[in-house]
Structures are given as structure tokens and as C-alpha cells.
Amino acid sequence: MRMQKRQFRIGELAEYLGVERFVIRFWEKEFNLRPTRSEGGQRFYEERDLERMQKIKQLLYEEGFTIAGAKKALKSKKDKPIVASQKTTFDETLPENVTHRLKTIKKKLLALRQQL
């Protein structure tokens, strides 16, 4: 049985990401994102949009990239496929706080995947 893709409205996406709606609209323009729209013009975002915006948020808010730097980073990673079943390991040379944050994020993502 195949799961249907979940769609998000802008308010749901903003709440999930922890940003304001205007930030989502700004990222749409800056990063050339095109959500699907209803006949009335309402935005609908898919899983791929959510993943892309999570990466944008990470680059801007956590890693301290500028908009231009984030665009370059996203462009360079565009050709690398993401494999959902790939086992993630953490480099022991990373600072302990980074490793802990990564493990926390991984747990949250796995829990989210279970919900979907």
C-alpha cells in the first residue's frame, strides 16, 4: 500500500519550522521555490518543500550562512541524492555538543517518519 504525500498549508509549514509565514514567502522568492497552488491561489507544500525549507533554515539559522552562501550550498548539494534508508553515523571528531544535537535531530526525524 502506497502512502499519499502529505501537503502542508503555509501556516502548518511555518509552525512546523518555527518561523513566521512571511519568512516562508521570503524563502520562496529568494530560493526560487514554487509550491502548488489551489484555484484560489492558496499555497500547498509537499514533503520535498518541507525538506528543502528545513535545509534552508539549518543553513541560515544554525550554520550562519548568508542567503547567497545558502544558495551556493544548496546548489552544490543538488546533485547528491538523499537516501532515506542510509544509516547515519557521527564522526567522533565532532564537538560533543554538535554530535548531541545531530542525534537529537535524528531522533525527531525518525519519529516524524513514523507518524507519516
Side-chain angles (χ1 to χ4, degrees), residues 3 14 20 27-29 33 38 42-44 46 49 51-52 57 62-64 77 83 88 93 95-96 103 112:
M3 264 180 103
E20 296 292 329
W27 289 349
E28 277 181 32
K29 289 177 186 173
L33 303 173
S38 69
Q42 188 173 22
R43 293 169 168 88
F44 286 99
E46 296 180 7
D49 299 317
E51 291 168 4
R52 188 83 164 161
K57 181 180 177 188
E62 296 172 23
E63 296 182 32
K77 293 180 182 184
V83 180
T88 305
T93 61
E96 187 177 324
K103 287 179 181 179
L112 178 62

Side-chain angles (χ1 to χ4, degrees), residues 6-83:
R6 181 155 171 2
Q7 290 189 327
F8 305 91
R9 293 181 179 191
I10 192 167
E12 294 171 313
L13 186 65
E15 184 178 332
Y16 182 81
L17 292 171
V19 298
E20 296 292 329
R21 292 175 187 181
F22 73 87
V23 174
I24 302 292
R25 290 188 290 269
F26 177 74
W27 289 349
E28 277 181 32
K29 289 177 186 173
E30 288 296 318
F31 293 93
N32 200 26
L33 303 173
R34 300 286 176 243
T36 57
R37 290 188 179 251
S38 69
E39 288 183 22
Q42 188 173 22
R43 293 169 168 88
F44 286 99
Y45 301 90
E46 296 180 7
E47 291 291 327
R48 63 182 161 81
D49 299 317
L50 169 63
E51 291 168 4
R52 188 83 164 161
M53 291 212 185
Q54 284 176 318
K55 185 61 181 172
I56 290 169
K57 181 180 177 188
Q58 177 188 350
L59 290 170
L60 296 175
Y61 289 38
E62 296 172 23
E63 296 182 32
F65 279 69
T66 62
I67 296 288
K71 286 178 184 179
K72 276 186 181 179
L74 289 170
K75 186 176 181 181
S76 69
K77 293 180 182 184
K78 206 174 200 177
D79 298 329
K80 298 177 185 176
I82 298 171
V83 180

